[in-house]
Amino acid sequence: MKKMAVTLVSLLAATSLAACGSTNTAKEGSATTTPATTAAATSAAVKSDAKPVKLRIYAQYADEDTKTPYDYAVAELKKEMPNVELELDIQAQDDGQKLKTYAATGNLPDIFQAGLDIIDTFKKSNNILVLDDYVTKFGFKDKMQPSAMNTLITDDGHSYAFPYAGNEVALLYYNKELFEKNGVKVPTTYDEMMAAVQTFNGKGITPLSIFAKEKWPCVALYDMFVSRAEPAGVTKLDKGLAKAEDAAYKTAADKIIELVKAGMLPKGATNLNYDQAAALYHEGKAAMFINGQWEIEAATKALGDKAGYMYLPAADAAAYEKGKTAFSGSGGPGGYAVSANTKDKELAAKVASFISLKYAEYKYTNRGNPIVATKVDKPIVKQFPPMMEQLSKDIPKMTSTTAFSWGLSNPKFKAALEDATQNLLTGNYTSDQFAKDLNKAAVTAK
């Protein structure tokens, strides 16, 4: 009996200690090591005590590409901040006029999507919140793609919106099958580009198709050549930091003129619209084609695995290798911004930051779009087509981008550059005349 009693006492003591140990482990683990369900329950209990808040948000919500990422971001927000309710005001397709009216009448939403035009306008009227402290406090800056920092920070060095879209780029597409069947090396140098042009012409194949009736592709082609020697491309001209007769800019014009005279483009290239130029490439009648990365879907649908994009040819092998990470095209500051007059600035900024991150996350994982400003570490649901997969690997490696013509800051110079680059494609224009016209416009514009 004594032995049994001792045993019972020991068992009771052990049970008591075990119970205490279990309780301590649960308390410690609730913050760090408990199962996800326990942590989630604890977190939800804490969050449920937060005071309900309603924030008005002005955002795009027009099609699958804008509705689904927004809905996903809102659903994720509900898990993270269940006390926050977003009241959606659907963005009008009116170049920001409705939003500007809201600002003028003191009715600006707490959170709103803003591009550079809205940012610049609202900075002057003190309607947009400076987010410098919040991009650091919420860790948003650490989540940015290094190559997309230009979408977070404006020229004045400040942040006014949490971006979700990354830099769009101009690409030189090619038909792999046409190159292989005709024994043409994918060009890495200008000499190899000339050889490709001559070979394809000799076989009755258009070397490069471009819809030069629109002027921005003309600027993009010129910018591609410039960026092989000057990574900033046309942006230096736009800002008055370079002149068109400088080596990188004059050489680019000369090379394009040489290639055009050698028959690089289809006849009447400056009269071709997108449908006409794209048809040449999609139907296997043109070996190369210029467009933005948004062409990937259409090119893949038309050509399948035959479609690809090449790294741009340069002066020599060394310049080619160095230039692989320098891309033509760009984006600009923009994303989810916060009203300077919102009641709880930190909360609104926190919500805007969260929505932006989740919006980008969904576009990357579920829409097959790698053109996002922030890093995504979740698995891809919708697989990328081969070219998009290549681009998704290139984006983190980008060392520079330039600008599309619509992103240039000097309107008069933009118009002159568009006209001058279109003239380059006629074959009846010299690099000296090109430089003269651009310099005249730059001086006039200042």
Side-chain angles (χ1 to χ4, degrees), residues 180-231:
E180 291 169 3
K181 283 189 174 181
N182 292 285
V184 179
K185 182 180 184 297
V186 177
T188 61
T189 66
Y190 293 140
D191 288 342
E192 290 173 353
M193 186 70 164
M194 178 62 80
V197 166
Q198 293 170 340
T199 300
F200 283 125
N201 265 326
K203 295 178 180 289
I205 299 168
T206 297
L208 189 154
S209 186
I210 183 171
F211 47 111
K213 187 174 184 177
E214 292 186 42
K215 296 178 181 180
W216 76 260
C218 308
V219 175
L221 176 61
Y222 174 68
D223 184 61
M224 286 178 174
F225 277 70
V226 172
S227 64
R228 299 310 85 197
E230 172 48 72

Side-chain angles (χ1 to χ4, degrees), residues 216-425:
W216 76 260
C218 308
V219 175
L221 176 61
Y222 174 68
D223 184 61
M224 286 178 174
F225 277 70
V226 172
S227 64
R228 299 310 85 197
E230 172 48 72
V234 296
T235 58
K236 273 196 171 182
L237 292 176
D238 178 52
K239 295 177 181 178
L241 301 176
K243 293 185 177 181
E245 63 265 25
D246 292 348
Y249 299 92
K250 189 173 188 304
T251 298
D254 283 331
K255 291 300 179 185
I256 289 174
I257 291 168
E258 289 174 15
L259 290 166
V260 168
K261 288 183 175 179
M264 177 174 69
L265 305 179
K267 290 182 180 179
T270 56
N271 291 315
L272 292 183
N273 62 28
Y274 168 78
D275 289 336
Q276 295 166 324
L280 290 174
Y281 176 62
H282 293 167
E283 295 169 9
K285 298 175 183 177
M288 293 173 283
F289 182 51
I290 283 180
N291 202 358
Q293 91 286 330
W294 51 84
E295 173 67 23
I296 287 177
E297 184 176 356
T300 301
K301 184 177 181 181
L303 295 169
D305 292 341
K306 298 176 188 176
Y309 74 81
M310 66 177 74
Y311 299 110
L312 304 174
D316 52 42
Y320 170 76
E321 287 299 325
K322 184 178 180 181
K324 281 183 176 180
T325 56
F327 278 71
S328 178
S330 188
Y336 284 100
V338 177
S339 168
N341 300 312
T342 188
K343 187 175 180 181
D344 188 334
K345 294 177 174 58
E346 181 164 329
L347 176 64
K350 187 175 182 180
V351 171
S353 169
F354 186 89
I355 290 290
S356 180
L357 289 170
K358 293 302 176 180
Y359 196 99
E361 181 177 285
Y362 187 89
K363 286 181 75 70
Y364 189 94
T365 60
N366 286 265
R367 298 292 296 170
N369 185 350
I371 311 299
V372 293
T374 49
K375 302 169 187 173
V376 178
D377 57 7
K378 287 197 172 183
I380 297 169
V381 175
K382 181 178 178 180
Q383 293 300 313
F384 297 143
M387 279 190 285
M388 203 62 96
E389 178 67 27
Q390 180 184 348
L391 187 58
S392 72
K393 293 176 180 177
D394 283 336
I395 288 171
K397 301 175 186 175
M398 286 182 186
T399 52
S400 62
T401 55
T402 57
F404 285 103
S405 65
W406 58 77
L408 298 176
S409 62
N410 186 328
K412 291 183 180 179
F413 177 76
K414 169 183 174 292
L417 180 64
E418 288 176 334
D419 288 342
T421 53
Q422 188 181 56
N423 285 336
L424 282 178
L425 306 191

